[in-house]
Amino acid sequence: MKPFLKFLILPLVAVLPLTALAAPKGWESLMEPAQLATILQHSPEVRVIQVTGDFTKGHIPGAVSAPYALFRGPQENPGAVPDIESLTHHVRQLGITADIPVAVIHQGSNASDMGAATRVYWTLKSLGVKDLAIINGGFNAWIAQQLPTTTAPTEVELSSFTPRWHDDWQATTQEIETLVDDPNARLIDARQASFFTGQQASSGRPGTIRGAGNLSFESWFDGSAVKPPTQVKSILASYDDKSAPLTVSFCNTGHLASINWFLMSEVMGVPNTRLYAESMTEWSMADRPMDNEPNRILYYWQMTTDWFGKLLGA
């Protein structure tokens, strides 16, 4: 067994201190599992939170469970940001402060699953947490590299962190209403092309926000892991309207869109990139301007034929 792996096998119950830290050496917003393993060798105070997957069946030693639902809105508008009181309670329970580096890990079951991690990353950044990272490929990638796991619980000291919401990375519905006709803004629909073109809809009216372009979140992935940086850079470089001073990513509920936001803002350093958290669910609640909104009769006919196709196994 490698020496650093021995170091990572923690006691069954670890009490993690609330020491203020600078970002550890080698810390990046998107890290490979081995990078995090090396960092934990030298900086065990780093907080690792797992947001999807069955935490009880296995997790990174020292990690704590932080179910994605804690950071989501109500069922009728899941993309909405929870109130600050709820978020404050959750981050305190997780022992999170502004200064402790936090690594967010998802199960890694597919590309979409990463949206849970990127959305939680965006939320914590907006709450004032300074150093954040996501593990490429999630917990499945950690397992694939034969890094240590445990089923033992981890106790963390409650924090007294009082976060303050920063709206630097958020675009509200009211702001989007002014941006649909603004040539200095680019609106990016992160959903698959069939949703962008109005052929499918999972919430609200089919179609997209007027003036938006389409850059599907799937473009960035090989399987459940993000493509190498050179390919990510090439995908971004090939997208239209690169010079727009403001970029807003959206989807149905701010889940998939947070992947685009993360890779553009945090990995590629595109300035003034924001997330429309409520996305199409809230946008389509009122008669706001849309593109690619299909004829209702044709749309429901397509839905019916798709349903019959699935029923018959076509």
Side-chain angles (χ1 to χ4, degrees), residues 171-180 276 278 282-283 288:
T172 65
T173 298
Q174 292 71 31
E175 289 170 332
I176 300 296
E177 289 174 339
T178 68
L179 294 177
V180 291
Y276 178 23
E278 298 81 5
E282 183 162 298
W283 184 261
R288 299 184 177 96

Side-chain angles (χ1 to χ4, degrees), residues 26-273:
W27 187 269
E28 295 179 299
S29 57
L30 180 64
M31 293 194 293
E32 298 301 319
Q35 286 180 268
L36 177 62
T38 300
I39 286 171
L40 290 177
Q41 177 187 4
H42 303 288
S43 303
E45 300 89 353
V46 168
R47 181 74 75 248
V48 180
I49 63 172
Q50 183 168 328
V51 297
T52 60
D54 191 338
F55 186 81
T56 63
K57 289 185 176 180
H59 50 267
I60 296 173
V64 292
S65 178
Y68 183 39
L70 299 178
F71 300 90
R72 298 291 273 165
Q75 183 176 0
E76 65 273 13
N77 193 2
V81 179
D83 60 73
I84 192 69
E85 291 79 12
S86 297
L87 291 173
T88 298
H89 171 77
H90 298 323
V91 297
R92 286 179 176 177
Q93 291 290 316
L94 296 169
I96 291 174
T97 73
D99 299 312
I100 292 180
V102 178
V104 185
I105 189 163
H106 55 296
Q107 183 65 41
S109 53
N110 51 47
S112 173
D113 189 37
M114 185 174 166
T118 52
R119 177 62 190 253
V120 172
Y121 179 115
W122 174 83
T123 304
L124 294 177
K125 183 180 179 76
S126 298
L127 289 173
V129 179
K130 297 176 182 176
D131 298 306
L132 291 155
I134 288 174
I135 309 309
N136 195 16
F139 187 56
N140 286 351
W142 179 276
I143 295 172
Q145 295 187 23
Q146 300 183 335
L147 297 168
T149 65
T150 184
T151 58
T154 302
E155 292 183 3
V156 293
E157 183 180 348
L158 301 182
S159 81
S160 58
F161 180 36
T162 301
R164 181 176 65 86
W165 186 263
H166 301 262
D167 58 8
D168 308 59
W169 305 280
Q170 181 181 18
T172 65
T173 298
Q174 292 71 31
E175 289 170 332
I176 300 296
E177 289 174 339
T178 68
L179 294 177
V180 291
D181 297 314
D182 188 344
N184 292 316
R186 61 175 176 180
L187 306 177
I188 299 179
D189 191 333
R191 299 173 301 170
Q192 298 96 328
S194 59
F195 287 89
F196 173 72
T197 59
Q199 295 173 293
Q200 284 186 271
S202 61
S203 62
R205 307 197 316 270
T208 192
I209 298 173
R210 189 173 71 193
N214 184 216
L215 178 57
S216 171
F217 78 99
E218 293 178 326
S219 304
W220 312 103
F221 289 87
D222 278 329
S224 59
V226 175
K227 293 175 180 178
T230 53
Q231 294 184 40
V232 171
K233 184 176 182 180
S234 177
I235 291 167
L236 182 59
S238 66
Y239 187 76
D240 292 335
D241 300 325
K242 295 182 288 295
S243 62
L246 172 64
T247 299
V248 178
S249 179
F250 68 93
C251 57
N252 285 321
T253 65
H255 174 93
L256 304 176
S258 70
I259 298 174
N260 281 18
W261 171 84
F262 172 77
L263 290 169
M264 297 178 75
S265 172
E266 307 299 280
V267 176
M268 290 290 103
V270 177
N272 206 13
T273 300

